[in-house]
């Protein structure tokens, strides 16, 4: 079977240690919802391809080098000499509140084209395609690229996963709903936070979470997965609903939890597991993410998964 394919914008991420306007030092890494999922899946042993666009600059080389180091195939990725790699600043303003500042308009990632996605399908068509609602928010090119991926996935029989991932800084809820609602019937696994579910439905459809999930199932989605933060996650399929509580862990950084959850969920799905086992691996990888700083740095390997059950003070020697 082919690899998992995901694509979107991955940026250089600078993480400060306090209020940004005071200066100080920042840690340099990379971040992007889809590449977070790619790294999460690669760490769990799956074959993954990422196909975004970066600038012909040192920031872009950091993105590609990081993904390569994490065993993600970047051979279909584009290097755009006409635009810079995007940048993202994380400002931990309070222990419970982090601010994100984007420097991404006009970036290489926002000029991603359908040709890059076509290249990613050309060798070993993917077994599963993972999209997020961030990509169509970036501009007409990325939106067309995602729509091309939906068509090619259907042609090749790839499973399609969509994480709604609404970013209000990038587009309005009204425009997001227009796009995502048209995509939903072509999606097999739809993942959203509770408040994002309405964006995948016609206006007014579904009075509550259950009715919304039922509506999506009736429109052709096979699995509707709802991320509930510290309350865990649930999945609704034609066979009913299953919930898993979050795994107790000392949370230090919530950014990237959703992507880590998606990687865990899809990993179990690729292993052939049923909805309950998919949720179980998702809440486990989600807990690893919130327990570590960074978007993807804390993602577990398969051998590390049982570590989450270790008691406080455990030393492995
Ligand atoms: P997003 O980052 O997309 O908003 P969530 O906050 O719902 O997504 O987090 C995704 C998953 O990560 C949750 O379903 C849960 O399993 C796990 N998670 C999130 N917050 C915590 C927490 N404080 N403790 C343990 N697990 C968590
Ligand atoms: O899910 C985490 C990502 O949202 C973040 O690190 C960067 O892709 C990103 C975005 O556009 O917000």
């Amino acid at each position: 079977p082919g690899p998992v394919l995901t694509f979107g914008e991955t940026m250089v991420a600078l993480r400060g240690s306090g209020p940004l306007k005071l200066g100080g030092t920042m840690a340099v890494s990379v971040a992007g919802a889809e590449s977070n999922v790619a790294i999460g899946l690669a760490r769990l042993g799956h074959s993954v391809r990422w196909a975004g666009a970066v600038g012909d600059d040192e920031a872009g080389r950091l993105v590609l080098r990081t993904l390569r180091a994490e065993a993600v195939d970047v051979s279909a990725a584009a290097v755009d000499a006409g635009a810079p790699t995007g940048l993202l600043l994380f400002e931990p303003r309070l222990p419970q509140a982090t601010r994100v500042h984007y420097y991404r308009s006009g970036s290489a990632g926002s000029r991603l084209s359908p040709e890059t996605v076509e290249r990613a399908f050309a060798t070993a068509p993917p077994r599963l395609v993972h999209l997020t609602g961030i990509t169509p928010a970036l501009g007409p090119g990325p939106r067309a690229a995602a729509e091309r991926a939906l068509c090619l996935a259907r042609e090749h029989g790839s499973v399609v996963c969509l994480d709604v991932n609404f970013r209000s800084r990038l587009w309005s809820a009204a425009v997001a709903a227009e796009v995502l609602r048209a995509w939903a019937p072509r999606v097999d696994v739809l993942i959203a936070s509770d408040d994002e579910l309405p964006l995948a439905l016609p206006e007014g459809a579904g009075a509550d979470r259950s009715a919304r999930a039922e509506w999506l199932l009736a429109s052709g989605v096979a699995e509707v997965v709802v991320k509930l933060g510290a309350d865990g996650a649930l999945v609704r399929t034609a066979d009913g609903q299953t919930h898993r509580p979050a795994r107790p862990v000392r949370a230090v950084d919530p950014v990237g939890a959703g992507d880590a959850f998606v990687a865990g969920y899809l990993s179990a799905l690729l292993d052939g597991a049923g909805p309950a086992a998919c949720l179980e691996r998702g809440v486990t990888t989600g807990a690893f993410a919130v327990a570590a700083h960074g978007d993807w740095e804390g993602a577990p390997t398969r051998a590390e998964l049982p570590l989450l059950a270790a008691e406080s003070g455990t030393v492995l020697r």
Side-chain angles (χ1 to χ4, degrees):
V4 172
L5 169 64
T6 189
F7 59 89
E9 180 165 33
T10 297
M11 296 159 281
V12 164
L14 301 183
R15 230 178 212 89
S17 50
L20 183 56
K21 66 185 173 203
L22 300 187
T25 53
M26 298 188 102
V28 186
S29 186
V30 307
E34 303 81 7
S35 58
N36 293 342
V37 172
I39 291 172
L41 281 166
R43 290 232 179 138
L44 292 167
H46 301 278
S47 156
V48 196
R49 179 174 296 158
W50 176 84
V54 295
D56 185 8
D57 48 27
E58 293 305 300
R61 283 183 267 285
L62 171 63
V63 168
L64 296 181
R65 187 177 197 271
T66 303
L67 292 175
R68 259 187 231 114
E70 293 292 334
V72 174
D73 171 14
V74 292
S75 57
V79 176
D80 180 347
T85 303
L87 172 69
L88 176 75
L89 307 180
F90 289 105
E91 180 191 24
R93 187 62 190 83
L94 285 168
Q96 72 277 21
T98 297
R99 287 200 286 223
V100 172
H101 308 276
Y102 289 141
Y103 296 83
R104 65 196 300 185
S105 78
S107 66
S110 65
R111 304 187 342 159
L112 178 69
S113 72
E115 288 72 45
T116 302
V117 166
E118 280 160 15
R119 194 161 55 232
F121 269 83
T123 48
R127 181 176 170 199
L128 186 149
V129 176
H130 172 66
L131 307 170
T132 81
I134 296 173
T135 308
L138 299 175
R143 180 173 161 185
E147 281 167 357
R148 189 79 190 108
L150 284 169
C151 292
L152 289 169
R154 174 169 295 183
E155 268 172 42
H156 291 92
S158 321
V159 173
V160 174
C161 174
L162 170 69
D163 184 345
V164 170
N165 255 343
F166 177 61
R167 297 285 182 268
S168 61
R169 206 87 70 75
L170 299 177
W171 59 349
S172 69
V175 179
E178 206 177 293
V179 172
L180 300 176
R181 186 188 294 160
W183 288 9
R186 294 189 272 171
V187 169
D188 301 293
V189 181
L190 190 134
I191 304 180
S193 302
D194 216 12
D195 57 344
E196 292 173 337
L197 265 188
L199 296 175
L201 301 167
E203 206 165 334
D208 57 15
R209 185 197 296 155
S210 312
R212 291 180 187 127
E214 283 305 326
W215 204 97
L216 287 164
L217 293 177
S219 75
V221 177
E223 301 179 28
V224 179
V225 184
V226 184
K227 295 175 289 185
L228 304 168
D231 291 328
L234 61 84
V235 56
R236 209 173 172 100
T237 67
D239 297 330
Q241 182 170 303
T242 312
H243 171 256
R244 278 285 174 285
R247 304 279 308 261
V249 77
R250 186 145 60 88
V252 300
D253 178 5
V255 183
D259 305 328
F261 169 88
V262 171
Y265 190 93
L266 294 180
S267 164
L269 189 81
L270 292 162
D271 288 352
C278 291
L279 278 185
E280 190 57 36
R281 197 172 298 168
V283 297
T284 302
T285 49
F288 267 93
V290 299
H293 290 281
D295 270 41
W296 51 268
E297 283 83 343
T301 61
R302 207 170 267 255
E304 287 170 337
L305 287 172
L307 262 186
L308 202 63
E311 278 173 33
S312 167
T314 300
V315 179
L316 301 153
R317 42 178 151 234

